[in-house]
Amino acid sequence: MVLAIIHFILTMLNFIQPPMKMKPFNSRRNFLKNITLTVGASAITLPAFNSITTTGKIIRQEDESLPLPPVNKQGKMGLALVGLGQYSTHQLAPALQETNNVYLAGIVTGTPSKAEAWKKRYSIPQSNIYNYENFDDIINNKDIDIVYVVLPNSMHAEYVIRAAKAKKHVICEKPMATTVQDAQNMLDACRENGVQLAIGYRLHFEPFNKRVMELGQQEIYGKVKTIKAYDSSDSTNGSVDKWRLDRELAGGGPLIDLGIYCVQGAIYTLGRPPVAVSAQFGPVTKPLVFHDVEQSISWKMFFDNGTIAECESSYAENKNELSATAEKGWWKLSPAYAYEGKKGETSDGKMKLPNIYEQVAQMDAQAASFKKNEKSVVSGEMGLRDMKILMAIYESAKAGGKKVQLSL
């Protein structure tokens, strides 16, 4: 509890400092050093988590110091997590205790105390624990078939390319990169080394968003006329990771972090990409916080069938919705993008669908594709496409809302 309070105070101090541009981390080593210093001693523990199984049952792990029972590795692909931050700790590692096609075989971290804690918690052999300097040695490790890159956005390109050269299949957390060129380089590296690249788009594997795909793409209520996609989270209280407010590390603000779900949602509602976008930055009401990335942004996506998607993303309010109107009805998910607690309804009534542990379904499906050396449904090509759309949205907003045509 004391460590948590200290961490909270340090985080709040970061948010009330004068508006000065953060010095870019010149290297991965410096970035990790700064993060370790900020978190302090709390970096050595693995917080407790709530795990939602694919059946919807909630399992609460109270004592994170106790080793978990060993998982059955037979017939499964081995996966190494690169980066042991919040998402790996609270979502991916617990999910890998329930997957059928893949298991947690290794980790990559620059923090020795984390390595030791994870080693005990998940019974990871010392030979499967790497740091960022010896990462390339993973090429010789037959236990590891897949590398999951869960680092700050600006680091995705380097580690995806290094993983590809080590002949490992790769899952890269969203967004794929911070530039279109980096995304292309990542895809090229995987192709050249004969490995598959998938993006961590978990919503393609969960029931509510899959139902939206059916409703829109199969035109169950007729042709889709309008789409609304909102994903915003109020982070002005210091709840967002500090690196997400640094353009150098994040590549952008809420658009690239949260808005990517809106881009995805609009596209999979129709089953086709947009042909043009237009965008506007929102007002900055918290200049002490948002002096390097946008506070909010709104944009429209235009499709070749005449459908228009209206989208918003912000770090200063709370919204979570994916909805559409069609010729003969409508549907709405709210929340649509959260890890759990999704709700949906249509003009015919509520969607009676289960909330599942999405990362379990995601990684199982991706591993199944990799085992056959086939493209995932959320391939690197999809990630590259989305990077082009995100950059076009920023281009439009910087030009005051100019409509930008897309060539995807």
Side-chain angles (χ1 to χ4, degrees), residues 18 28 41 43 95 108 122 124 136 196 260 284 329 331 345 377 385:
R28 172 192 356 93
V108 182
Y122 295 107
I124 299 172
D136 300 315
Q196 296 295 333
I260 192 169
V284 179
W331 57 88
E345 58 181 326
V377 296
R385 177 204 69 188

Side-chain angles (χ1 to χ4, degrees), residues 239-261:
S239 60
V240 71
D241 293 327
K242 186 176 180 180
W243 67 263
R244 295 186 188 276
L245 300 177
D246 183 346
R247 185 173 298 278
E248 186 77 17
L249 290 170
L255 171 64
I256 207 164
D257 181 24
L258 305 174
I260 192 169
Y261 288 119

Side-chain angles (χ1 to χ4, degrees), residues 282-303:
V284 179
T285 61
K286 303 285 186 178
L288 294 182
V289 178
F290 303 105
H291 49 84
D292 201 24
V293 299
E294 76 275 7
Q295 176 176 311
S296 63
I297 188 170
S298 60
W299 70 98
K300 292 182 179 180
M301 299 168 64
F302 303 90
F303 295 85

Side-chain angles (χ1 to χ4, degrees), residues 79-82 106-108 127-130 134-148 162-168:
L79 180 147
L81 290 171
V82 183
I107 53 175
V108 182
S127 59
N128 291 1
I129 298 175
Y130 296 86
N134 67 10
F135 172 73
D136 300 315
D137 293 342
I138 206 169
I139 191 173
N140 300 312
N141 194 321
K142 294 182 179 180
D143 291 344
I144 296 171
D145 307 291
I146 305 168
V147 167
Y148 197 148
R162 289 172 70 178
K165 290 180 178 179
K167 309 300 181 182
K168 307 299 180 183

